[in-house]
Amino acid sequence: MSIKLPTMHNTIRIIGIDPGLRRTGWGVIDTLGNSLRFVASGTVTSDGDMDLASRLCQLHDGLVDVIHTHKPDEAAVEQTFVNKDAVATLKLGQARGIAMLVPARAGLQVAEYAPNAVKKAVIGVGHGEKRQIHMMLKILMPKAEFKGDDAADALAIAICHAHNRGGARMRMAALAG
């Protein structure tokens, strides 16, 4: 497996992934320097009537299709939000594993960002409401189209990575040794 490391002089295509067992949001942007351009966004869903393994397969197959269609250079995934329901947290962790595995198997560098870091990158503060994220996405990328919070959050994750990718790439290189 080889990891593609684009230069700062090329357009970089980034996929942001907001993992969830019911709905996994995805958003693809192009970035060149400080310029951001919306490419596509959407949601991969799983059938709640199916068993867990089948639902994870649906998420896997859907993300494989998205990556195959949009051919990103790098990926960013939101870190798991831990809540009081241990079973729900575990299931979210399994969906997040799929969200990290699919781009990694495609040879992409995968960065992770905490929810507060994503909000700070997009709206300027670590705490904010969904409507603030939606509004800033439209300001940062006027042509952006997204249906629902999951796709919007995924675009925000991609933007966060675009703003932080230099540091993330250096950390990945240091870990690779």
Side-chain angles (χ1 to χ4, degrees), residues 48-132:
D49 293 331
M50 297 179 80
D51 63 278
L52 178 61
S54 298
R55 294 177 74 186
L56 293 172
C57 283
Q58 288 177 320
L59 296 178
H60 173 275
D61 295 347
L63 285 175
V64 166
D65 288 345
V66 170
I67 287 176
H68 177 76
T69 299
H70 296 289
K71 298 178 180 20
D73 300 305
E74 297 176 4
V77 177
E78 189 170 66
Q79 291 176 341
T80 301
F81 176 81
V82 179
N83 58 37
K84 294 177 184 174
D85 182 354
V87 173
T89 300
L90 182 58
K91 288 179 180 178
L92 175 58
Q94 292 168 326
R96 188 170 173 277
I98 297 297
M100 294 181 70
L101 172 71
V102 171
R105 293 286 297 161
L108 303 181
Q109 177 180 329
V110 181
E112 301 174 65
Y113 296 97
N116 288 350
V118 173
K119 288 177 183 171
K120 187 168 186 170
V122 176
I123 62 175
V125 293
H127 299 282
E129 296 178 17
K130 298 287 186 185
R131 64 179 173 78
Q132 291 175 295

Side-chain angles (χ1 to χ4, degrees), residues 14-29 38 40-46 58-60 62-64 66-67 70 72 74-79 92 95-96 98-100 102-103 111 118 130 134 137 145-159:
I14 299 169
I15 183 168
I17 303 173
D18 180 32
L21 184 58
R22 288 184 189 140
R23 292 174 309 278
T24 291
W26 59 269
V28 179
I29 64 170
F38 171 77
S41 69
T43 307
V44 176
T45 59
S46 71
Q58 288 177 320
L59 296 178
H60 173 275
L63 285 175
V64 166
V66 170
I67 287 176
H70 296 289
E74 297 176 4
V77 177
E78 189 170 66
Q79 291 176 341
L92 175 58
R96 188 170 173 277
I98 297 297
M100 294 181 70
V102 171
V118 173
K130 298 287 186 185
H134 290 216
L137 287 174
E145 298 175 9
F146 46 89
K147 293 182 181 175
D149 291 340
D150 302 299
D153 288 350
L155 285 169
I157 294 161
I159 290 169

Side-chain angles (χ1 to χ4, degrees), residues 1-44:
M1 174 174 83
S2 66
I3 295 177
K4 189 163 117 180
L5 294 177
T7 68
M8 294 304 281
H9 305 293
N10 297 332
T11 297
I12 308 302
R13 181 159 287 184
I14 299 169
I15 183 168
I17 303 173
D18 180 32
L21 184 58
R22 288 184 189 140
R23 292 174 309 278
T24 291
W26 59 269
V28 179
I29 64 170
D30 284 343
T31 181
L32 177 60
N34 292 331
S35 172
L36 300 173
R37 185 177 69 82
F38 171 77
V39 176
S41 69
T43 307
V44 176

